[in-house]
Amino acid sequence: MAYDLITMGRIGVDLYPLQTGVPLPQVTSFGKFLGGSATNVAVAAARLGRDTAVITRTGDDPFGTYLHEALREFGVDDRWVTPVAGLPTPVTFCEVFPPDDFPLYFYRRPKAPDLEIDAHELDLDAIREARVFWVTGTGLSEEPSRTATLAALAHRAKAGTTVFDLDWRPMFWSDPDAARPFYAEALKHTTVAVGNLDEVEVATGVRDPHDAARALLDAGVELAVVKQGPKGVLAVNSAGDSAEVPPLPVNVLNGLGAGDAFGGSLCHGLLAGWDLEKIMRHANAAGAIVASRLECSSAMPTPTEIEEALAAGAVL
């Protein structure tokens, strides 16, 4: 069977405080959630009715078992989620200071299992046959994940829709210059690039949204999506169509995970063949809904919730 979406990249356990506005040393209670950007995108698309799977790796430990259970509960195929002996499943903590301060603390040492994805273990036929394939910048940060990510992209050869989530996480790289050659190579094999202003600057050296979108198109993609925070989102394709959509009003509780909801909705809209503006409005609404909730994966919205937010013109 050909999946609607296969994602490849991070997975882990999010341990988020159940108290807002409290520094981590003083937090006394946490919630445990499935996490990891690529994994959350697969969950978000599954919530919208898509057949999804994720390629990643966990530790061979109880947290790894939990992640398999959570994926199945969310309807995401876990057949390509495999254990790595000797490495712990990553955990991520955050602090929640609404509306715009959500520090993240990644515990991915000595090395995250999802960076041990090996090219020789990939189901390249399934990757090529998927209607959408999604990779991330973090997957390029270390070997063997880097070679595996680029091998998957090269084998797919732009079949269907291939999305590169620029996903710049400075703690995983020595500096932006170290990342740029690998980002450039990945862009050659992708049809859609998605990133915020910091991420597009790492990929292109340009920060202005319109200039960055043009640079991404010049690098070989067919659709550039630039997330501008409070200014909304800009999308430009190689046919010359563009859409610039403002954010949906929302009382932010936790902004983490909003981008993953946006990504899952983006894939859903591309699969549905919607026009650019409809795709961006739907994706913005999905992201806003998750920003109004504490958790990430379990906060991903249903189609009804997104339609209600769009009809109301805000997340109520």
Side-chain angles (χ1 to χ4, degrees):
M1 117 181 179
Y3 291 87
D4 290 325
L5 170 67
I6 296 176
T7 68
M8 179 174 172
R10 286 202 313 276
I11 195 170
V13 176
D14 287 344
L15 295 174
Y16 283 3
L18 300 180
Q19 300 150 279
T20 62
V22 179
L24 204 54
Q26 280 74 57
V27 173
T28 58
S29 57
F30 296 85
K32 177 169 94 308
F33 309 102
L34 172 72
S37 180
T39 303
N40 282 336
V41 170
V43 170
R47 275 276 169 90
L48 298 174
R50 298 299 178 177
D51 294 320
T52 71
V54 60
I55 301 168
T56 190
R57 306 198 73 182
T58 71
D60 189 9
D61 55 25
F63 274 150
T65 301
Y66 161 71
L67 294 176
H68 278 279
E69 292 172 351
L71 286 168
R72 292 169 192 148
E73 287 175 4
F74 289 129
V76 177
D77 196 320
D78 64 342
R79 70 181 61 195
W80 297 305
V81 181
T82 57
V84 180
L87 291 179
T89 297
V91 297
T92 302
F93 290 88
C94 78
E95 293 175 301
V96 181
F97 297 105
D100 58 4
D101 187 18
F102 309 102
L104 275 170
Y105 303 91
F106 291 98
Y107 288 76
R108 292 167 60 86
R109 298 295 177 190
K111 185 180 185 181
D114 53 61
L115 293 174
E116 285 292 315
I117 299 171
D118 192 288
H120 297 97
E121 298 172 355
L122 295 175
D123 187 336
L124 293 174
D125 289 340
I127 288 170
R128 186 176 178 85
E129 291 167 5
R131 297 176 67 193
V132 180
F133 180 53
W134 177 288
V135 300
T136 74
T138 296
L140 299 173
S141 64
E142 288 192 43
E143 294 290 1
S145 173
R146 177 185 300 148
T147 293
T149 300
L150 294 174
L153 290 172
H155 184 83
R156 185 166 168 84
K158 294 191 176 183
T161 298
T162 305
V163 185
F164 180 22
D165 174 7
L166 302 177
D167 184 40
W168 168 248
R169 303 284 180 170
M171 68 284 292
F172 300 156
W173 295 87
S174 56
D175 61 66
D177 289 338
R180 285 194 177 105
F182 303 115
Y183 274 54
E185 181 63 25
L187 286 168
K188 293 177 185 177
H189 302 289
T190 52
T191 61
V192 180
V194 184
N196 61 30
L197 294 177
D198 290 338
E199 292 166 339
V200 297
E201 184 175 17
V202 168
T204 67
V206 179
R207 191 171 182 86
D208 175 81
H210 291 271
D211 291 344
R214 175 49 54 192
L216 290 168
L217 294 173
D218 290 344
V221 306
E222 297 168 13
L223 173 62
V225 180
V226 182
K227 294 182 282 189
Q228 306 175 75
K231 293 186 177 180
V233 62
L234 169 69
V236 183
N237 67 22
S238 55
D241 302 318
S242 65
E244 195 158 7
V245 176
L248 207 62
V250 57
N251 290 321
V252 174
L253 175 59
N254 184 358
L256 302 174
D260 303 333
F262 181 100
S265 175
L266 170 67
C267 294
H268 177 65
L270 291 170
L271 288 164
W274 295 341
D275 63 61
L276 272 187
E277 182 167 342
K278 182 175 181 180
I279 292 172
M280 293 303 114
R281 289 191 182 280
H282 194 275
N284 262 358
I289 290 168
V290 171
S292 74
R293 299 170 175 174
L294 174 65
E295 65 274 23
C296 294
S297 54
S298 55
M300 295 302 169
T302 65
T304 299
E305 290 172 327
I306 295 174
E307 291 304 322
E308 289 174 348
L310 288 169
V315 177
L316 302 177

